Amino acid sequence: MLSPERLALPDYEYLAQRHVLTYVEDAVCQLLENKEDISQYGIARFFTEYFNSVCQGTHILFREFSFIQATPHNRASFLRAFWRCFRTVGKNGDLLTMREYHCLLQLLCPDFPLELTQKAARIVLMDDAMDCLMSFSDFLFAFQIQFYYSEFLESVAAIYQDLLSGKNPNTVIVPTSSSGQHRQRPSAGEASTLEGVEAALFYQCLENLCDRHKYSCPPPALVKEVLSNVQRLTFYGFLVALSKHHGINQALGALPDKGDLMHDPAMDEELERLLAQIPGLVTSVTAGPEASCLPPRTPPRVGSPWRPLHLARKVDAESDGSTEETDESET
């Protein structure tokens, strides 16, 4: 049965909203790049596995950054993959630096930009040095906001700077005798005693911005809720509030609630099954931290039946380059 959303939209609008053309183009490109390997299995099977992987969210593994950020579904899938792959960092209580979290991100996306990781870390660290340690949960929820809403936040930063300098991005000044009614720039003494900008005015500016960023901004009602709790706030104070807001995390739908962040029974079961196939390895995902530590050296590659055919060549190509970082993170 078709969803109400699907019935309410014309075909071309629905396809555009779901970015179907992006995935079709990507599938065709991969088909042409790997046609010799795919010919052994058949084109129909390739497309079936490709779109199954899109639905499951595994299609973003080991892909280039331009593809990972291409659609909202890709971004949410990458966030979910990062959480599922490295939640043991939080489960064991480990604290890592920004550089170390960036290395983990590069294990899933080799060309992931350092600047984006730095911006996410700044939400957590605020005025602290960038080499300070962060918990997994703090970094993850800050990273979620910065990564998923990156274009929106760039525009928010520009609006914030305009307001901080006394400008109102929503104001159109007409050169008449009444133009003095417009907001005046605060004096140097007044600006020094006030921190941040007025929350009500900030929200007025963000309302129009949310209309222009339909696929990459938090729900306007939740933004209003965040800003209604304070009279003034700073830019990073706003980002911290977004990262900690339960409703925004639920609306995005990529990560569980903070209380459930370390629980993933499906992944635990899959890891148990894969580890059981490794000869001589005695471990348990559900056991204590001492028993759950992997050996210091990378175990032999075990074929995973869920890995899509179109990822096989890319996984093999990236495995050699990721061994060093994995070894360092386990020691």
Side-chain angles (χ1 to χ4, degrees), residues 156 159 163 197-206 227 233 238:
V156 171
I159 290 174
L163 292 177
V197 299
E198 291 183 13
L201 182 58
F202 193 38
Y203 175 69
Q204 292 177 9
C205 298
L206 295 189
L227 296 176
L233 83 168
F238 175 62

Side-chain angles (χ1 to χ4, degrees), residues 60 64-82 105 109 112-113 115-117 119-121 123 139-154 215-217 239 252 254-255:
I60 47 77
E64 61 279 5
F65 180 74
S66 60
F67 179 74
I68 286 174
Q69 68 163 355
T71 71
H73 175 64
N74 286 8
R75 298 186 188 199
S77 298
F78 185 78
L79 287 167
R80 193 176 299 111
F82 181 75
L105 289 167
C109 173
F112 197 90
E115 181 184 5
L116 206 52
T117 312
K119 289 181 178 179
I123 299 175
F139 176 80
L140 181 62
F141 285 109
F143 176 70
Q144 173 178 237
I145 294 298
Q146 183 62 59
F147 175 61
Y148 194 88
Y149 299 126
S150 57
E151 295 85 359
F152 171 74
L153 295 185
E154 287 180 5
Y215 299 110
S216 60
C217 76
L239 298 190
L252 202 153
L255 301 176

Side-chain angles (χ1 to χ4, degrees), residues 274-282 300 302:
L274 292 176
L275 292 175
Q277 300 178 28
I278 301 177
L281 179 62
V282 180
V302 178

Side-chain angles (χ1 to χ4, degrees), residues 74-134:
N74 286 8
R75 298 186 188 199
S77 298
F78 185 78
L79 287 167
R80 193 176 299 111
F82 181 75
W83 159 63
R84 298 188 77 185
C85 288
F86 303 114
R87 66 190 172 90
T88 52
V89 172
K91 203 171 184 179
N92 295 335
D94 296 329
L95 302 177
L96 302 181
T97 65
M98 180 275 297
R99 291 278 181 179
E100 290 170 326
Y101 281 116
H102 185 66
C103 288
L104 296 182
L105 289 167
Q106 287 186 309
L107 291 178
L108 301 181
C109 173
D111 66 336
F112 197 90
L114 177 63
E115 181 184 5
L116 206 52
T117 312
Q118 291 173 330
K119 289 181 178 179
R122 180 57 65 198
I123 299 175
V124 179
L125 300 175
M126 300 290 283
D127 296 328
D128 293 333
M130 290 295 286
D131 58 351
C132 289
L133 299 174
M134 295 173 282

Side-chain angles (χ1 to χ4, degrees), residues 120-247:
R122 180 57 65 198
I123 299 175
V124 179
L125 300 175
M126 300 290 283
D127 296 328
D128 293 333
M130 290 295 286
D131 58 351
C132 289
L133 299 174
M134 295 173 282
S135 70
F136 181 73
S137 60
D138 286 345
F139 176 80
L140 181 62
F141 285 109
F143 176 70
Q144 173 178 237
I145 294 298
Q146 183 62 59
F147 175 61
Y148 194 88
Y149 299 126
S150 57
E151 295 85 359
F152 171 74
L153 295 185
E154 287 180 5
S155 300
V156 171
I159 290 174
Y160 178 82
Q161 289 300 324
D162 284 345
L163 292 177
L164 205 60
S165 63
K167 301 176 184 177
N168 186 338
N170 288 347
T171 300
V172 178
I173 300 179
V174 180
T176 64
S177 58
S178 62
S179 60
Q181 297 176 358
H182 291 287
R183 188 173 191 79
Q184 298 295 322
R185 182 171 181 172
S187 63
E190 180 184 358
S192 63
T193 60
L194 298 177
E195 183 178 4
V197 299
E198 291 183 13
L201 182 58
F202 193 38
Y203 175 69
Q204 292 177 9
C205 298
L206 295 189
E207 272 189 307
N208 293 333
L209 182 62
C210 288
D211 291 338
R212 300 196 303 269
H213 287 264
K214 294 181 180 179
Y215 299 110
S216 60
C217 76
L222 298 182
V223 174
K224 183 178 182 180
E225 181 181 321
V226 168
L227 296 176
S228 65
N229 295 327
V230 293
Q231 292 185 339
R232 301 183 69 86
L233 83 168
T234 63
F235 175 67
Y236 279 102
F238 175 62
L239 298 190
V240 170
L242 291 181
S243 68
K244 295 183 177 181
H245 196 282
H246 173 73

Side-chain angles (χ1 to χ4, degrees), residues 49 53 56 58 61 270 273-274 303-309 311:
E49 293 204 2
S53 70
Q56 295 166 5
T58 57
L61 293 173
E270 177 69 9
R273 188 185 64 78
L274 292 176
S304 177
W306 56 262
R307 189 178 71 187
L309 292 173
L311 285 180

